[in-house]
Amino acid sequence: MKRIVLLGLVCFALSGCGDDSGSKVTNEFLVGKWECKLEDYRSKMKNGKFTDYVSDGFNIIRKEEFKIENNKLYTISKTEVDGHTFWESNDWEESDRTITHTGQIVEKKEDNLTEKSTNSLIKKSHDTYLMIEEYIKTPNEQYDSEDDIEALRIKTEAFCTRIK
């Protein structure tokens, strides 16, 4: 009986081994080909509060390939919206994704508005990651209504899977 309990405890302890979810997305991790399914959401200000996010409803697929040259990350990509090519890069371009997607809030204040953005990369497994980008724009208290600044909140989630 003790052996069965001990075997069960060992199996339980080992069940989490090899799962690297939650660890950091690095340039080396990104090297290779990826397919990302994007969901765009919007929210507007109503009665002083943002409404719940509503999906834009587009079927967006982004295919990317990353490589490292001279210790720099480069990417080439193609984006399709509802089956039509929307944007395509034909040349390798330097990428700063792991530098800009730290999860930190970046805030910028101007005379009449405040902009906040947060960009994150979350490693789900050795073959998947989640990229989340959120942008919030709100008028400041000294807002001049002649500037016609509309408060809004936009969120993009990209679930990316390595192409083998």
Side-chain angles (χ1 to χ4, degrees):
M1 182 69 172
K2 288 181 183 179
R3 288 183 182 173
I4 293 173
V5 171
L6 183 60
L7 180 62
L9 287 173
V10 169
C11 290
F12 177 74
L14 292 176
S15 66
C17 290
D19 180 16
D20 55 4
S21 63
S23 60
K24 187 176 178 180
V25 174
T26 62
N27 288 350
E28 292 76 15
F29 170 78
L30 289 174
V31 170
K33 295 181 180 182
W34 296 88
E35 180 175 275
C36 302
K37 295 181 181 178
L38 283 76
E39 285 286 333
D40 286 329
Y41 303 94
R42 294 190 182 275
S43 171
K44 292 189 176 187
M45 185 73 72
K46 186 174 183 179
N47 299 327
K49 293 183 181 180
F50 279 108
T51 60
D52 291 337
Y53 279 115
V54 176
S55 175
D56 282 347
F58 294 109
N59 182 20
I60 305 170
I61 304 291
R62 182 175 178 100
K63 292 186 179 176
E64 297 180 294
E65 185 174 355
F66 292 93
K67 70 178 181 178
I68 296 177
E69 276 186 12
N70 300 323
N71 294 322
K72 293 182 181 179
L73 184 67
Y74 290 89
T75 185
I76 192 165
S77 61
K78 175 180 165 182
T79 303
E80 296 177 358
V81 179
D82 292 332
H84 301 291
T85 300
F86 175 75
W87 185 81
E88 187 170 5
S89 64
N90 295 318
D91 295 317
W92 289 95
E93 298 173 0
E94 191 172 345
S95 173
D96 60 357
R97 183 167 297 168
T98 58
I99 296 168
T100 59
H101 287 69
T102 61
Q104 295 179 341
I105 297 172
V106 177
E107 186 172 334
K108 179 179 157 185
K109 288 189 177 191
E110 294 185 4
D111 292 335
N112 288 330
L113 67 100
T114 299
E115 296 175 301
K116 292 182 184 179
S117 62
T118 308
N119 299 320
S120 304
L121 294 175
I122 303 163
K123 188 174 181 180
K124 296 301 209 174
S125 73
H126 66 282
D127 284 332
T128 59
Y129 72 94
L130 180 63
M131 182 171 58
I132 302 171
E133 299 176 347
E134 187 170 25
Y135 171 79
I136 301 170
K137 178 178 78 171
T138 53
N140 291 338
E141 292 173 6
Q142 65 272 20
Y143 166 68
D144 181 357
S145 62
E146 291 179 13
D147 290 339
D148 197 27
I149 298 171
E150 181 182 2
L152 64 94
R153 189 170 65 154
I154 300 171
K155 183 177 183 179
T156 300
E157 293 181 345
F159 186 77
C160 302
T161 304
R162 190 181 304 275
I163 301 171
K164 296 186 180 194

